[in-house]
Amino acid sequence: MPPTPAIPPHRDESLVRDSGAACAQDRGDAVPPRGDAVRGRADTRGPEHADARVPAREDALAQDSGPARTQDRGTARVRGREDPLVRDRGDACPGALRLHSAADGSLARLRLPAGLLTPAQARALADAADRLGDGHLSLTSRGNVELRGLGDGCAAPLADLLRTAGLLPSDQHERIRNIVASPLAGLDGQGADGGAAVQEWARELDRLLCASDTAPALSGRFLFALDDGRGDVAALGGDVTLVAEPGGTALLRVGDDSAALRLPGSEATRAARTAAEVFLSVAHEAGNGSWRVRELPPGHDAAAVRALLRTRLPQPYETTAAPAPTAPRPPRPGIFTAPDGTRAALSLLAPLGRLTTAQLRRLADVAAQDGHGELRMTPWRGVVLPGLSPEAAGPRLRALATAGLVTDPASPWYGLGACTGRPGCAKSLSDVRTDAVTGLRTDGTGGPPGDGTGARREDTGPREDGTAPHRTGGTGLLPVHWSGCARRCGHPHGAWVDVVATGDAYEVSVRGTRHAAPATATVPLTEPGRLADAVASARAAGRTTP
């Protein structure tokens, strides 16, 4: 049986710096690790400093299909979903300039509108992770990037490096540039009018946000979603969502409002920025400190934002029914070919959302040498490389599979996610990444099919009809997310198999469905085989849960 690819370790003990030391400019200057002193350190700073990648629902209203219960997370107080939420302090979401102190050192979160990077920028991030961090990059559920293991003195050199690379166009706005866009827009012939407009929308919206004097007041969790009409990122719960329509129009939806505004595509990005500014006005009037549209109280909700927005636009555009909600549809790993067959795109995933710097440099090389000179980080912790020739696509996919990236939906790594866990997060009750890998190796699949690289030799090139290969692998299976505690940081949007550490065991259930299934199992940490069976059973149950 082919071996399972090695997961990039969360932490290299030989390279962790003491958080009290000045940032070492070279890995050779690393301070010896603190070992158990780091692992056992209590976190007393309050819930607003939660060590987490921003998940699809990261706040005090995280998905919970169970009974109403009192929640108290420091920044929010709410008793059940029928009561209004009140936030009594500002958003402490980390950024590239505002670092978060975690158990494994400081964490920086860099916003990448539409997930876009040039090869030079990707190499700059790899250099930053090697020189200043732990040698890895974490991909988030919003297509952003995190660097971990940063020492206390790393903030200034990191900021200088990011500015030089063109990744910090505005210090004031860097935390609010949360823009996700359909990763395959303009590449596979899907979406309205081919979807090409969405990527330009992302660039223009970023420029407009960075020019706004009001926008810096937005929370670092406020989300813009730009969907090319295929329904992928529209399902991610954006605060302002644009959906492209055939004929050049766009639908603008605020939060989960049942109605949307139809407007010309040429007005879409300005209307999206205005919608965010109107949200701030409504939130100020509501007085409950809302960070997200869904936190607004009755009378100051999404419909109220839409009504006020209509008065702020050049004309009162048509109001229509919002698109029906759908399940998130991430691009599967493999090759996607343009309808005319002249160009191909590679879609890949990072195992458990972690890239080594060597992998990122390999991706940058392929983008520069064979593609359009562009990398698109996806909200599903993957990377899309557009613009390859059909002849180059297959060999490059196989080479990237050999580098440890997930290139086939039949891989057991496909759909598998985890939070940071121990030792990086002081709140975690387990080393979930190691446990997820143990479960992967004992669940009967062993490793990816084919030659052990994640790519099937007989089906890695584009098909003659222009469709992507490997369309059937993993079809119908729910994603699985391992969490070190009940906060469930970084969990997927929509339905998923929830594996949560409870101390000496894991609880496995299906969440995010209309009626959550009860816990399918509580399995001790000492029984990885049973745990893998429980996860497999939950995935099967999730297929039929409404």
Side-chain angles (χ1 to χ4, degrees), residues 186-188 335-346 369-372 385-393 462 466:
L187 303 180
D188 61 350
I335 299 172
F336 292 82
T337 306
D340 62 6
T342 60
R343 289 282 131 185
L346 304 184
Q369 298 167 11
D370 301 291
H372 280 163
L385 302 179
L388 283 75
S389 69
E391 295 76 20

Side-chain angles (χ1 to χ4, degrees), residues 149-469:
L150 301 167
D152 285 350
C154 284
L158 175 62
D160 289 343
L161 189 154
L162 297 177
R163 289 191 188 97
T164 300
L167 291 167
L168 279 181
S170 170
D171 289 4
Q172 284 187 310
H173 299 79
E174 64 97 2
R175 290 194 318 128
I176 60 96
R177 302 167 67 223
N178 287 307
I179 304 172
V180 296
S182 299
L184 293 175
L187 303 180
D188 61 350
Q190 303 299 310
D193 300 330
V198 166
Q199 291 294 318
E200 184 50 44
W201 282 357
R203 293 178 173 89
E204 178 62 20
L205 178 57
D206 186 36
R207 289 191 289 268
L208 291 172
L209 288 174
C210 289
S212 169
D213 294 333
T214 306
L218 292 170
S219 161
R221 310 183 187 208
F222 194 92
L223 179 64
F224 297 88
L226 312 183
D227 194 296
D228 69 356
R230 74 182 68 216
D232 53 356
V233 300
L236 296 182
D239 295 282
V240 177
T241 299
L242 292 176
V243 179
E245 292 188 304
T249 59
L251 293 179
L252 187 154
R253 184 182 190 185
V254 177
D256 59 359
D257 192 5
S258 60
L261 299 181
R262 176 172 284 120
L263 60 160
S266 59
E267 298 291 330
T269 54
R270 290 190 177 276
R273 182 185 68 173
T274 303
E277 294 170 343
V278 168
F279 159 78
L280 289 172
S281 298
V282 174
H284 178 74
E285 182 179 337
N288 73 328
S290 297
W291 295 345
R292 308 289 307 276
V293 169
R294 62 173 171 267
E295 297 175 2
L296 292 169
H300 298 84
D301 53 11
V305 175
R306 169 173 47 84
L308 183 55
L309 173 63
R310 293 184 84 241
T311 70
R312 301 282 183 88
L313 296 178
Q315 64 184 69
Y317 294 111
E318 174 191 359
T319 301
T320 186
T326 61
R329 296 190 300 115
R332 290 195 175 105
I335 299 172
F336 292 82
T337 306
D340 62 6
T342 60
R343 289 282 131 185
L346 304 184
S347 174
L348 313 104
L349 297 174
L352 295 186
R354 292 275 282 177
L355 282 174
T356 67
T357 55
Q359 288 171 335
L360 183 57
R361 290 189 178 96
R362 290 284 294 274
L363 291 166
D365 290 344
V366 173
Q369 298 167 11
D370 301 291
H372 280 163
E374 177 178 284
L375 299 86
R376 299 182 183 180
M377 305 295 172
T378 80
W380 296 278
R381 299 183 172 90
V383 185
V384 169
L385 302 179
L388 283 75
S389 69
E391 295 76 20
R396 297 298 176 268
L397 188 74
R398 287 189 287 272
L400 291 168
T402 302
L405 295 165
V406 180
T407 63
D408 188 339
S411 166
W413 294 100
Y414 179 51
L416 183 67
C419 72
T420 295
R422 288 182 178 174
C425 177
K427 291 182 172 65
S428 180
L429 301 175
S430 185
D431 183 354
V432 293
R433 292 178 180 274
T434 296
D435 294 338
V437 174
T438 300
L440 179 72
R441 289 172 175 165
T442 59
D443 67 359
T445 58
D451 60 0
T453 66
R456 289 175 176 165
R457 294 184 184 277
E458 72 278 10
D459 193 19
T460 54
R463 292 175 175 167
E464 291 182 358
D465 62 0
T467 61

Side-chain angles (χ1 to χ4, degrees), residues 104-128:
D104 59 348
S106 293
L107 175 155
R109 181 177 298 146
L110 176 64
R111 271 67 175 185
L112 302 175
L116 294 176
L117 283 173
T118 66
Q121 290 171 335
R123 294 186 186 107
L125 286 176
D127 290 344

Side-chain angles (χ1 to χ4, degrees), residues 451-514:
D451 60 0
T453 66
R456 289 175 176 165
R457 294 184 184 277
E458 72 278 10
D459 193 19
T460 54
R463 292 175 175 167
E464 291 182 358
D465 62 0
T467 61
H470 313 152
R471 299 294 292 178
T472 59
T475 298
L477 290 177
L478 292 181
V480 179
H481 188 75
W482 293 66
S483 301
C485 72
R487 293 180 305 153
R488 297 175 172 86
C489 295
H491 73 71
H493 204 87
W496 82 98
V497 174
D498 187 44
V499 188
V500 180
T502 60
D504 57 357
Y506 276 101
E507 183 179 275
V508 182
S509 62
V510 176
R511 295 177 65 89
T513 57
R514 192 171 196 179

